[in-house]
Amino acid sequence: MSDFDSAASTPAPAGSRPVKRRRVYGDNDDYSSPDELGDHKPHRPSRLSTRRDSAARRRAHSSDGSVDELNHSYHSRNRSRSSSVDTSHSSIDAPTPYRPLKLNYKTKFILKGHRKGVSQVRFSPDGRWIASCSADGTIKIWDAVTGKHMRTMEGHLAGVSTIAWSPDSNTIASGSDDKAIRLWHRATGKPFAVPLLGHHNYVYSLAFSPKGNMLVSGSYDEAVVLWDLRARRVMKTLPAHSDPVGGVDFIRDGTLVCSCSTDGLIRVWDTATGQCLRTLVHEDNPQVTTVRFSPNGRYILAFTLDSCVRLWDYVSGTCKKTYQGHVNTKYSLGGAFGISNTEGFIVSGSEDGNLVFWDVKTKDVVQKVSGHEGVVCWVDTSPQPNGPVVSGGLDGTVRIWVDVNEDDEEIGGVNGLKLEPEDGSENVKMENGAGFDDTPRDDASDDGRSPSRMEED
């Protein structure tokens, strides 16, 4: 539920599902450089050919047409593109060897104010603000540079599981256990007059379209809903999955939506028609809790409850990379793509209190950092290259991290700003006391996404 866009920490259902054997997808398939994930590369056409997806094929690994049919137009176009590229680069020397990614993220600010677990954190598209939501039923806005608390937005009747920024960074959407979606003015903290109602269970994931005129939501009612934000009404309700929907996201041009569920399926939808264009499932059928498109729209990153993060080529229906090294067997964790200099990385939270960073190309863990007490529910990256990273956890804190080179670390500064000690009181940005209601809410769950929720359902 960022430029790298949009469920944070509720575990999956306790009931076990039968595992069916499926085709094995190799993690070592050919894969080009991590720069492919960047926005500066031409992206794969996002319009897949539409085929009606029948309910009888829910568990099929490719539900709509063959790979050849889906890829026909793309490969013919790609052949002509490749021939022109080969011609233009015929006189260029061999590419320089790939240099391994190096990261050194350190805590810059610890932001306190939420009274219960933080389920999601999101950078605004312009990188100026951070939004966080919590089981305490509130959404908070923070200054991404200074860590200053700007405002708190209250109005939901239960815990808030998901938030999303509009492309202009002026509106925030929030989804709650009260089954409602609310829109908020970032500058004033005031809600729009009428909430979006239509889901029949917890709202768990949200994402804005690139133009900001549509919103997609995923819910425990197993549906994916497309909303027309100008008319404030439901555009389409997609009977997407057979279990709660954990994650949804828009592709960069707005023509496709992806969704995932604890039924083990990842699905790609045509925004205009509501047709399911592709269904992806791994041979082990792990429960999928979060999905997001890569920045260039070519791949889908999927977080699963077998302690893996997988990178899928959704046109060919193959898993290209599997990233391991974190702990994720119980909670719905989230992460993001990031850029360091010119190289790509992936970051995720972990149930052991760490943030884990991987090199996109090599799959190597390039850094593990600790700081939160307990589960790190969500991590997001700044839209700018080499920017900060923000995390939120069940300990109720939001942390801002910055990449520090060794020289800066020795002198204790980052771009002229002092790196404050992690345990010192001066690095904690407390909420202003004025207008802050510290009364515990009886209608909010203890940790945002309680382990018993799905069992109750």
Side-chain angles (χ1 to χ4, degrees):
M1 284 175 217
S2 78
D3 190 20
F4 304 126
D5 291 58
S6 26
S9 61
T10 298
S16 61
R17 290 175 284 105
V19 177
K20 299 183 180 180
R21 298 298 296 176
R22 287 176 174 81
R23 177 183 173 184
V24 178
Y25 299 123
D27 292 338
N28 296 320
D29 292 345
D30 290 342
Y31 179 73
S32 53
S33 84
D35 294 338
E36 275 198 12
L37 298 176
D39 289 331
H40 60 285
K41 297 287 183 181
H43 69 284
R44 176 169 300 177
S46 58
R47 287 283 184 188
L48 307 179
S49 62
T50 59
R51 294 285 183 92
R52 187 168 300 277
D53 182 55
S54 68
R57 301 186 191 179
R58 273 186 188 275
R59 296 278 177 173
H61 89 277
S62 176
S63 63
D64 301 279
S66 70
V67 172
D68 290 339
E69 289 172 338
L70 293 170
N71 270 332
H72 177 73
S73 60
Y74 168 70
H75 284 307
S76 60
R77 184 181 309 175
N78 201 40
R79 281 194 296 271
S80 61
R81 181 190 303 161
S82 299
S83 61
S84 64
V85 171
D86 292 342
T87 303
S88 60
H89 289 274
S90 58
S91 61
I92 298 179
D93 295 333
T96 57
Y98 177 70
R99 292 186 301 175
L101 180 65
K102 292 185 178 180
L103 298 175
N104 188 30
Y105 275 92
K106 301 287 185 181
T107 301
K108 183 178 181 182
F109 294 119
I110 304 173
L111 314 179
K112 294 186 177 181
H114 282 296
R115 303 186 299 276
K116 293 183 178 180
V118 176
S119 49
Q120 279 192 7
V121 287
R122 300 276 194 180
F123 275 100
S124 61
D126 62 10
R128 295 180 58 193
W129 316 101
I130 293 169
S132 61
C133 63
S134 169
D136 64 12
T138 67
I139 302 101
K140 294 183 183 293
I141 307 298
W142 316 83
D143 187 299
V145 176
T146 66
K148 179 182 178 182
H149 173 260
M150 305 305 295
R151 56 190 53 83
T152 297
M153 295 173 283
E154 296 184 276
H156 281 291
L157 303 178
V160 182
S161 294
T162 179
I163 46 178
W165 285 93
S166 64
D168 63 6
S169 301
N170 290 327
T171 303
I172 297 170
S174 59
S176 169
D177 288 3
D178 64 9
K179 308 175 188 178
I181 299 169
R182 288 187 174 270
L183 300 175
W184 309 81
H185 297 281
R186 190 264 313 158
T188 65
K190 302 296 183 183
F192 286 45
V194 181
L196 303 178
L197 302 176
H199 279 295
H200 305 295
N201 210 326
Y202 311 126
V203 181
Y204 211 59
S205 183
L206 295 171
F208 274 92
S209 66
K211 293 182 180 178
N213 60 326
M214 290 187 293
L215 187 75
V216 62
S217 58
S219 166
Y220 264 56
D221 61 12
E222 303 175 3
V224 171
V225 176
L226 289 168
W227 303 84
D228 182 338
L229 294 183
R230 293 193 178 100
R232 300 285 196 276
R233 65 176 180 84
V234 174
M235 289 175 56
K236 293 180 179 66
T237 299
L238 310 176
H241 294 275
S242 58
D243 279 325
V245 178
V248 292
D249 196 18
F250 265 103
I251 199 170
R252 54 184 267 169
D253 64 3
T255 59
L256 299 177
V257 163
C258 64
S259 65
C260 71
S261 168
T262 51
D263 63 9
L265 305 183
I266 303 165
R267 284 190 156 153
V268 181
W269 308 85
D270 185 289
T271 305
T273 66
Q275 294 288 320
C276 179
L277 305 178
R278 173 69 83 213
T279 298
L280 308 171
V281 62
H282 193 266
E283 59 157 350
D284 297 327
N285 198 26
Q287 300 175 61
V288 191
T289 58
T290 306
V291 285
R292 60 196 315 168
F293 281 104
S294 63
N296 64 6
R298 296 183 181 184
Y299 306 99
I300 291 175
L301 193 67
F303 296 74
T304 51
L305 291 182
D306 58 354
S307 296
C308 291
V309 179
R310 292 181 173 88
L311 189 70
W312 288 85
D313 180 333
Y314 59 88
V315 173
S316 66
T318 56
C319 178
K320 293 295 185 181
K321 297 282 183 178
T322 298
Y323 305 91
Q324 295 176 295
H326 68 312
V327 179
N328 185 16
T329 60
K330 185 177 179 182
Y331 292 89
S332 299
L333 307 184
F337 291 97
I339 299 292
S340 176
N341 297 320
T342 60
E343 308 301 340
F345 66 85
I346 291 167
V347 60
S348 172
S350 181
E351 292 171 8
D352 59 5
N354 289 324
L355 278 69
V356 182
F357 296 79
W358 293 273
D359 186 311
V360 169
K361 181 177 182 180
T362 67
K363 303 184 293 183
D364 293 336
V365 174
V366 292
Q367 188 181 7
K368 273 189 183 182
V369 291
S370 61
H372 287 278
E373 297 178 5
V375 179
V376 181
C377 301
W378 204 267
V379 186
D380 197 19
T381 55
S382 172
Q384 287 85 22
N386 307 311
V389 166
V390 64
S391 60
L394 289 189
D395 59 5
T397 67
V398 175
R399 289 175 178 251
I400 299 177
W401 309 76
V402 290
D403 192 11
V404 186
N405 66 46
E406 294 178 357
D407 293 336
D408 286 339
E409 189 175 14
E410 288 177 3
I411 63 175
V414 181
N415 294 330
L417 296 176
K418 181 182 178 183
L419 266 184
E420 298 166 353
E422 193 166 321
D423 296 328
S425 60
E426 68 273 17
N427 68 338
V428 178
K429 299 292 180 180
M430 296 298 292
E431 171 140 24
N432 294 331
F436 179 64
D437 179 14
D438 198 36
T439 305
R441 301 174 68 96
D442 294 333
D443 53 5
S445 60
D446 289 339
D447 58 10
R449 299 180 170 188
S450 68
S452 62
R453 172 183 298 174
M454 298 182 72
E455 298 174 10
E456 294 172 357
D457 297 337

